[in-house]
Structures are given as C-alpha cells and as structure tokens.
Amino acid sequence: MRIEYVSLFVQDVQRSETFYQKYFRAKEDWISDDVRLELLKNAEPGQKRRARFAISVGGPEMIEALARAIENDGYECSQHLEKTKDGRYRAIVLDPDKNELELVEEN
C-alpha cells in the first residue's frame, strides 16, 4: 500500500506551485516519482479547506535547515524541530494556504 496522490485546496495555484517547486523540487504535478500533488483552486473565496501531510527530508539537520529556509522566506513554521514519541525528528511548516507540511526524518 502507498500514497497515490495528495490534494490541496489553495487560493492561488501558481503561488502554491512555486512554493512546492522551490522547497520540495516538485515537478509539475509530482512531489516524487511515486506521489502526485494536486493543487485545486478553492471554489469560493475565503473557503478554508486545509490538509496536512508529511514529507521525509533526511535527518534532523536537514529538517531544521529546510524549516529555517521556509521561515526566512516569510512562511510560518508552526513547530520547530522536535523529537516525537516514536523517537523520530520532525518540524511543521505552513504552505501559502496554511496547509501543514510535516517535515519528518527518513527511516
């Protein structure tokens, strides 16, 4: 079993494409070779559909560096580097539409 795709409801598709391409090297509709990213325009202004998903990005140093880079560019980091109950490291950042991206340690 695996994740086939992730759908996010966004206000500005182009802005979100730029964000995911810059920080996660997304190529058009793909986060990776295996997982597709769908950016869907919210039908109604002000509609707040949010999502949360995790992206494995390496070890604690890589997680912290990426979270800081995103934060330095003006996006919110809602949870800085922490060790979870299962012993893995993570940080949580928000994309332009406040969807939560959990940056997690690779297994």
Side-chain angles (χ1 to χ4, degrees), residues 51-65:
R52 178 180 191 171
F53 64 99
I55 299 176
S56 60
V57 296
E61 298 82 17
M62 291 179 70
I63 293 169
E64 183 65 16

Side-chain angles (χ1 to χ4, degrees), residues 15-65:
R15 178 184 69 182
S16 294
E17 283 178 352
T18 300
F19 177 87
Y20 285 96
Q21 288 169 355
K22 179 176 181 175
Y23 298 111
F24 302 101
R25 291 179 254 141
K27 297 174 186 163
E28 296 182 19
D29 291 343
W30 295 91
I31 296 174
S32 71
D33 292 338
D34 297 331
V35 179
R36 190 163 46 100
L37 174 64
E38 291 184 340
L39 299 172
L40 306 171
K41 175 97 173 106
N42 270 338
E44 301 171 26
Q47 186 178 11
K48 300 290 183 196
R49 292 186 185 175
R50 294 205 173 97
R52 178 180 191 171
F53 64 99
I55 299 176
S56 60
V57 296
E61 298 82 17
M62 291 179 70
I63 293 169
E64 183 65 16

Side-chain angles (χ1 to χ4, degrees), residues 57 71 88:
V57 296
E71 190 173 40
R88 294 175 64 196

Side-chain angles (χ1 to χ4, degrees), residues 8 19-20 24 51-55 70 78 91-96 98-104:
L8 299 176
F19 177 87
Y20 285 96
F24 302 101
R52 178 180 191 171
F53 64 99
I55 299 176
I70 291 170
S78 64
I92 299 172
V93 297
L94 305 181
D95 77 0
K98 308 293 186 213
N99 293 300
E100 291 185 333
L101 285 77
E102 188 173 344
L103 309 176
V104 298

